[in-house]
Amino acid sequence: MEKVSVYGAGSWGTALSFVLAQNGHDVLLWTHRAEQADEINRHSNEKYLKGIKLPDSLKATSDLAETVHHSKVLVLAVPTKAIREVCAKIKENLTEKVLFVHVSKGIEPDSLKRISEMIREEIPAQWVEDVVVLSGPSHAEEVVLEHPTTVTAACENTASAEFVQDLFMNHYFRVYTNTDVIGVEIGGALKNIIALAVGITDGLGYGDNAKAALMTRGLAEIARLGVKMGATPLTFSGLSGVGDLIVTCTSPHSRNWRGQYARQRQNDRRGSGRNGNGSRRHSDDESGISASESL
């Protein structure tokens, strides 16, 4: 049994706490709202996971210092925009090295930093045992129903990735390992852009052809950018690449897809649907994008 602290009591942070508690770990979940902590301690989090009974062993608190002192394994499940703020508060309470596991997907808008880079900038190296990324095609709503789910634990240090793998793995939540931190983070962040576009085309009623085009060509662009940043090409053929892209572009659980789909349907009802057969002609080949489908 390990002691684990999880930061962020939204749907994903709560779902991962659910998995960890089911695996027999001593889990303390942090939320900035005391009333939400009280609800979780009564074994529910209705706003984010409606109708789900949380494990009796899962505890929550709004005292961030308590969570830092609870464990040497800190799981960050807060939005990208809150990473630096939460890390700064964690840093104030550190007394020993800790392992950071971040499970958020995004890139900082101004700096264009990946989340692992943000963590290492905010937390002095003397307090960082390692930083592991946990990412992949995984909706919280399905995880807490114990539907089969696969994700990737990525770290340049294989031992740290394998430690996180053992921490989370069970009969319905399978964890693979990878050393390509850049690729896993880029795949997880950029698939959201493609999901927004797919939501728009689905809302316009363009069908499966358009969806397939956006997803496949979108994946090619994600892979090219990732490789330029130092990622391994094969990463984008795995769970944090094509896997995450599929689940985000095709599921009503996906906020990025769902939001754009609903917006376009609303626009259609207002009479702003399709606009003829398009306003510009495109080349029939893929020059300028790719001479082939190889990534």
Side-chain angles (χ1 to χ4, degrees):
M1 181 186 76
E2 297 286 344
K3 290 187 174 182
V4 185
S5 296
V6 180
Y7 297 82
S11 58
W12 193 221
T14 306
L16 290 176
S17 298
F18 179 99
V19 172
L20 290 166
Q22 280 200 331
N23 288 357
H25 301 301
D26 182 356
V27 184
L28 186 59
L29 175 59
W30 175 80
T31 168
H32 68 277
R33 295 190 293 114
E35 62 271 21
Q36 188 183 23
D38 290 340
E39 182 192 357
I40 292 169
N41 287 329
R42 296 192 299 270
H43 317 306
S44 70
N45 191 356
E46 285 293 304
K47 179 179 178 181
Y48 295 99
L49 295 172
K50 190 173 180 61
I52 298 298
K53 182 184 183 301
L54 301 176
D56 293 345
S57 62
L58 174 58
K59 305 300 179 186
T61 182
S62 58
D63 183 347
L64 187 138
E66 181 184 358
T67 61
V68 177
H69 300 147
H70 172 76
S71 171
K72 292 192 290 185
V73 181
L74 310 185
V75 179
L76 301 181
V78 297
T80 304
K81 64 182 180 181
I83 289 287
R84 290 193 187 273
E85 179 185 356
V86 171
C87 282
K89 292 177 180 178
I90 288 173
K91 179 176 63 176
E92 295 172 359
N93 293 280
L94 287 171
T95 58
E96 58 184 339
K97 278 192 170 186
V98 296
L99 174 68
F100 286 91
V101 183
H102 90 71
V103 302
S104 302
K105 299 172 182 177
I107 293 174
E108 191 172 33
D110 295 329
S111 71
L112 304 183
K113 299 281 188 179
R114 294 176 285 108
I115 294 175
S116 63
E117 294 177 305
M118 296 163 64
I119 294 169
R120 291 190 182 277
E121 285 184 355
E122 292 298 320
I123 308 292
Q126 69 189 84
W127 302 124
V128 180
E129 183 69 37
D130 226 329
V131 178
V132 180
V133 185
L134 190 70
S135 186
S138 47
H139 288 308
E141 299 88 346
E142 296 184 5
V143 170
V144 294
L145 294 175
E146 302 185 20
H147 291 176
T149 301
T150 53
V151 297
T152 298
C155 184
E156 293 177 3
N157 181 351
T158 301
S160 294
E162 289 177 347
F163 173 82
V164 172
Q165 179 185 45
D166 292 340
L167 202 67
F168 283 92
M169 184 112 82
N170 61 29
H171 69 281
Y172 65 88
F173 196 82
R174 185 170 182 82
V175 184
Y176 292 82
T177 61
N178 196 326
T179 57
D180 183 15
V181 173
I182 296 174
V184 170
E185 287 186 301
I186 291 299
L190 298 188
K191 53 85 180 177
N192 290 323
I193 300 170
I194 309 303
L196 292 172
V198 170
I200 292 171
T201 59
D202 280 351
L204 290 169
Y206 283 154
D208 295 336
N209 294 351
K211 181 185 296 185
L214 276 170
M215 290 174 65
T216 52
R217 301 316 308 162
L219 179 62
E221 293 187 10
I222 291 170
R224 279 194 208 97
L225 177 58
V227 169
K228 285 288 186 181
M229 296 175 68
T232 302
L234 284 176
T235 298
F236 301 101
S237 298
L239 292 170
S240 55
V242 66
D244 216 349
L245 187 66
I246 289 170
V247 82
T248 309
C249 290
T250 62
S251 172
H253 292 312
S254 168
R255 287 173 297 175
N256 292 296
W257 177 89
R258 189 174 64 235
Q260 293 305 313
Y261 177 81
R263 180 175 298 179
Q264 291 305 317
R265 298 306 295 170
Q266 184 178 37
N267 287 342
D268 278 353
R269 287 193 293 271
R270 292 172 178 168
S272 57
R274 299 186 193 183
N275 185 17
N277 61 355
S279 59
R280 55 177 296 195
R281 178 183 294 272
H282 295 276
S283 171
D284 288 336
D285 64 35
E286 293 182 297
S287 57
I289 298 178
S290 173
S292 72
E293 288 294 327
S294 62
L295 300 181

